[in-house]
Amino acid sequence: MENQENQVHEEKTFFQSTTAKMLMVGFLTLVLLIPLFFVQNLISERSQRKTEMVDEVTDLWGKDVLFYGPMLRIPYTSYEAYNVTNPKTGVTTIERKAITNYAYFFPNELKNTSKIKKNESLKRGIFNHVVFTADMTFKGNFTQPNFSKLGIEDENIQWEKAAVIVKTTNLKSIKSELKIQLNNDKFSFEPQNNDKSNYSVLATNPFDYKALVNSDKINFDFAITYNGSNSVKFIPVGKITTVSVDSDWESPSFEGSFAANDASKTINKDGFHADWKVLDINRTFSQQYANVLPDLDDYLFGVKLIQTVDEYQQNERASKYGFLVIGLTFLIFFLIQSVSKINIHIFQYSMIGLALIMFYTLLISVTEHSTFSFAYTIAGASVVAMITLYSISILKNRKFPMFIGMALTVLYSFIYVIIQMEDYALLVGSIGLFLILGAVMYFSRKIDWSK
């Protein structure tokens, strides 16, 4: 009987010991990762819904703007030999069949000036997406086509059926009348059959090249207005290609095979300006082609108009610090419990942990109807107030709850700063965690853990 009483006493002593409490709090921290995981899934689901909305909006408004051209297209006649056998005599003769093919010539000089204006957000339900309108002008000239490099004889060239073509994406997002000035004459662009690529083809009506040419060259000038989203990119088909882009978009990403000129590039809160100049010696394709135009997508360059961190990315990044917040909060309570000798039940730890989880559901729900900063402030203040008031009833005083409230405020503020940073997030986070560890070591140095 006495042995049983001793065993029960030892069990009670164990479960009331510091080691047992540490194990239970640690286990509870791991258990709380389950609802935190569901919250992260909720954020991913909402982000996926926004992605679907963005695809719907950009499909209606306009997607990436890619521009390939303009190019001079001149048909020529070639002959294909084939054998013809007379069924009566059995004699085989060689005959020729005339076939019309096309030669393509890139401009000698190509200048583009683009002004990209951020458009009002297009709303679908509670989701917003930012798009743009691009006003683009193209100027330059074509010099005398060099058919000799293509091995085409002059008598086979159909000069009277020349045309200017461009290849581009998003025909349905073009919002301006398409006319091109060729020297002193104007021509309208008309859509042609798609060439089974990502581009659609626009071509002028046929004209007589020799009647139009002036001083061995043709000057061109035309403008296009696009509705688009995500990016604007060009292929440098000119022997000398210059591109100048101005926009009120504050977060551009310059992409492609050619870098913008650093001397002229500016980026600030009001927008950006960038210039490119590409020479024929900077790329490895010719200025003329026969039969088929080459795929030059590897030479695309331009600007991608990005949102550095959208609200769902910020929510996702915030949720990744959930384990840290729960662990540090429990650690603060555990140290207060060890110092003050106040007993905190595991159920009370559970309530505090669930309150910390609720921060992320509040954050994502409020963010969808306001800004991330406002949502973070509301969610953080609500959770800090709730835990502080709950701590007063647990700890039976106001000194420790005030310390807990201040500690949580500092912790949430620290995480917010990290989320807003891009280049220095890892550095600041590492320094912050190092300082937190130092503070824990300092405040726990006089606790007698052996008891």
Side-chain angles (χ1 to χ4, degrees):
M1 188 68 177
E2 184 178 349
N3 290 336
Q4 291 180 349
E5 290 178 357
N6 290 335
Q7 185 177 357
V8 171
H9 177 72
E10 289 176 359
E11 290 178 356
K12 287 183 179 181
T13 303
F14 173 76
F15 285 110
Q16 292 174 353
S17 66
T18 301
T19 303
K21 291 177 180 178
M22 289 179 63
L23 292 174
M24 287 187 288
V25 172
F27 178 74
L28 177 61
T29 303
L30 295 176
V31 169
L32 288 173
L33 291 180
I34 297 174
L36 183 62
F37 174 75
F38 285 119
V39 170
Q40 291 173 339
N41 280 346
L42 174 64
I43 296 172
S44 298
E45 178 188 341
R46 304 298 289 182
S47 179
Q48 179 62 32
R49 284 190 60 187
K50 182 181 179 181
T51 301
E52 293 171 358
M53 181 280 299
V54 169
D55 291 340
E56 177 186 345
V57 168
T58 54
D59 188 59
L60 295 173
W61 177 266
K63 297 184 178 180
D64 299 79
V65 176
L66 308 180
F67 199 89
Y68 182 176
M71 295 157 281
L72 182 63
R73 184 182 69 186
I74 301 177
Y76 66 94
T77 303
S78 60
Y79 297 92
E80 180 179 303
Y82 61 98
N83 296 327
V84 177
T85 302
N86 190 315
K88 294 182 180 181
T89 62
V91 177
T92 299
T93 59
I94 299 176
E95 296 188 8
R96 294 198 310 165
K97 179 181 178 182
I99 300 174
T100 298
N101 286 316
Y102 293 94
Y104 300 91
F105 300 91
F106 294 156
N108 180 65
E109 189 176 10
L110 175 61
K111 296 181 179 180
N112 167 263
T113 302
S114 297
K115 297 186 182 299
I116 303 172
K117 183 179 180 181
K118 186 190 303 184
N119 209 300
E120 294 295 329
S121 296
L122 296 183
K123 193 168 185 178
R124 289 292 186 275
I126 61 173
F127 301 109
N128 291 330
H129 180 57
V130 181
V131 293
F132 64 80
T133 299
D135 295 315
M136 305 166 65
T137 60
F138 296 85
K139 296 181 180 181
N141 59 73
F142 295 101
T143 55
Q144 180 69 25
N146 190 344
F147 280 91
S148 61
K149 287 188 176 182
L150 300 176
I152 300 171
E153 298 179 358
D154 190 68
E155 61 269 18
N156 294 327
I157 303 171
Q158 301 177 28
W159 294 103
E160 71 283 0
K161 295 182 179 180
V164 173
I165 68 169
V166 297
K167 298 177 69 176
T168 184
T169 55
N170 287 337
L171 285 190
K172 66 180 181 180
S173 70
I174 297 176
K175 300 302 176 184
S176 61
E177 187 179 9
L178 292 184
K179 289 188 176 181
I180 183 171
Q181 179 93 20
L182 298 177
N183 284 345
N184 297 321
D185 297 321
K186 280 190 176 182
F187 298 86
S188 295
F189 280 112
E190 295 181 356
Q192 305 288 303
N193 292 331
N194 195 299
D195 61 356
K196 296 182 180 180
S197 70
N198 294 328
Y199 297 90
S200 299
V201 180
L202 296 170
T204 63
N205 292 325
F207 59 85
D208 189 338
Y209 176 85
K210 291 188 174 181
L212 192 68
V213 71
N214 180 15
S215 301
D216 292 331
K217 71 177 182 179
I218 295 177
N219 296 312
F220 62 83
D221 185 354
F222 64 98
I224 299 180
T225 298
Y226 281 97
N227 286 342
S229 61
N230 193 48
S231 67
V232 177
K233 293 182 180 178
F234 309 90
I235 294 176
V237 294
K239 195 169 185 179
I240 302 175
T241 302
T242 57
V243 173
S244 177
V245 179
D246 287 280
S247 176
D248 58 355
W249 203 287
E250 65 279 359
S251 54
S253 174
F254 302 109
E255 298 183 338
S257 299
F258 305 96
N261 299 330
D262 290 334
S264 62
K265 183 171 63 177
T266 58
I267 304 173
N268 53 49
K269 63 179 181 180
D270 297 321
F272 72 89
H273 171 83
D275 294 320
W276 289 262
K277 185 175 183 179
V278 183
L279 306 177
D280 60 335
I281 59 174
N282 301 139
R283 73 292 198 278
T284 57
F285 59 85
S286 176
Q287 289 296 109
Q288 56 275 317
Y289 289 91
N291 302 329
V292 179
L293 276 170
D295 181 2
L296 300 178
D297 282 358
D298 289 342
Y299 298 93
L300 278 167
F301 70 93
V303 60
K304 184 175 183 180
L305 309 175
I306 62 174
Q307 292 177 290
T308 51
V309 180
D310 69 19
E311 62 271 19
Y312 291 101
Q313 288 176 321
Q314 290 175 317
N315 273 270
E316 183 180 357
R317 289 174 63 180
S319 67
K320 290 180 179 179
Y321 293 98
F323 180 75
L324 174 66
V325 173
I326 294 171
L328 289 177
T329 304
F330 281 180
L331 180 60
I332 292 172
F333 275 94
F334 186 79
L335 290 177
I336 291 174
Q337 173 181 309
S338 301
V339 171
S340 64
K341 308 302 180 182
I342 298 174
N343 186 41
I344 302 177
H345 196 272
I346 194 66
F347 175 81
Q348 294 168 323
Y349 275 106
S350 301
M351 293 298 99
I352 294 168
L354 291 175
L356 296 172
I357 298 295
M358 283 298 299
F359 166 81
Y360 301 101
T361 58
L362 282 172
L363 180 61
I364 184 65
S365 59
V366 179
T367 298
E368 291 184 336
H369 299 277
S370 63
T371 64
F372 176 80
S373 299
F374 178 77
Y376 196 95
T377 302
I378 294 298
S382 301
V383 171
V384 170
M386 176 182 288
I387 293 177
T388 302
L389 293 174
Y390 189 59
S391 301
I392 294 175
S393 64
I394 295 175
L395 303 175
K396 309 299 182 183
N397 60 52
R398 294 184 179 273
K399 180 178 67 173
F400 289 127
M402 291 303 105
F403 172 77
I404 291 170
M406 290 177 58
L408 286 175
T409 302
V410 171
L411 180 59
Y412 279 124
S413 300
F414 170 66
I415 292 174
Y416 178 81
V417 171
I418 294 177
I419 293 172
Q420 299 305 308
M421 288 185 170
E422 295 180 28
D423 299 332
Y424 298 98
L426 179 59
L427 175 63
V428 174
S430 300
I431 294 174
L433 290 176
F434 181 79
L435 294 176
I436 290 171
L437 176 60
V440 172
M441 293 172 68
Y442 176 80
F443 288 110
S444 63
R445 71 191 190 282
K446 292 185 179 181
I447 298 176
D448 187 358
W449 298 104
S450 62
K451 293 182 181 181

